[in-house]
Amino acid sequence: MASCNVVKYKELDIVYTDISNASPEEAMVVFDENQLIISKMPLKSVYALVNAKDARFNSSLIQKIKETVKKNNPHSKATAVCGLNALSRLMVNSIIAFTGRQMKLVETEEEGKDWLYKKYQEAAVVV
């Protein structure tokens, strides 16, 4: 079932958005939930992971993703996206280029969590 919630990975809180196997309509509801959760968090504090394995996309969902990325950008520190096929990767790469967001496409959830944790550790060293 598609959902969005905060999960703990080591000492890092990650906003986990799971749209795996979701229809575009189901995913759009989850991205609304994602925006609501992230809007309540401090600026430049959010580490996010999106699982899009076998999700189905249409033009409305792509528009919703662009809107979500734009609204969440001030709150975002880093985002990892896993489970994309080749066509979806092209689409997300164009969103990354369009928004300038620090985002990485990864193969698995675990790889995404590890990358986000590394980014968290790097930020902690800089502070």
Side-chain angles (χ1 to χ4, degrees):
M1 179 86 176
S3 64
C4 182
N5 53 16
V6 177
V7 298
K8 188 70 108 179
Y9 181 72
K10 300 180 182 178
E11 69 270 14
L12 176 63
D13 286 335
I14 297 173
V15 176
Y16 178 61
T17 304
D18 183 0
I19 60 164
S20 58
N21 299 301
S23 69
E25 296 75 22
E26 291 167 327
M28 287 196 299
V29 170
V30 172
F31 279 112
D32 283 337
E33 194 177 333
N34 170 288
Q35 288 178 32
L36 186 61
I37 290 169
I38 290 177
S39 71
K40 295 176 182 172
M41 297 181 154
L43 298 177
K44 294 292 176 205
S45 71
V46 176
Y47 292 84
L49 175 61
V50 178
N51 181 350
K53 185 170 176 45
D54 297 325
R56 294 176 301 287
F57 295 88
N58 65 16
S59 59
S60 296
L61 177 55
I62 291 166
Q63 203 52 44
K64 174 59 82 175
I65 292 169
K66 286 179 182 175
E67 170 194 307
T68 300
V69 169
K70 187 175 178 183
K71 281 187 177 177
N72 290 348
N73 231 3
H75 299 272
S76 177
K77 192 80 170 167
T79 302
V81 182
C82 69
L84 295 174
N85 64 31
L87 183 60
S88 300
R89 285 173 93 78
L90 285 173
M91 176 204 54
V92 172
N93 276 325
S94 72
I95 292 171
I96 293 169
F98 173 73
T99 61
R101 177 89 153 259
Q102 184 166 4
M103 198 178 287
K104 182 170 177 79
L105 305 182
V106 296
E107 293 300 316
T108 67
E109 263 185 57
E110 200 61 33
E111 188 183 342
K113 287 177 181 176
D114 286 341
W115 181 78
L116 290 168
Y117 188 70
K118 276 188 202 137
K119 289 294 172 191
Y120 169 72
Q121 288 179 310
E122 288 169 12
V125 169
V126 172
V127 172

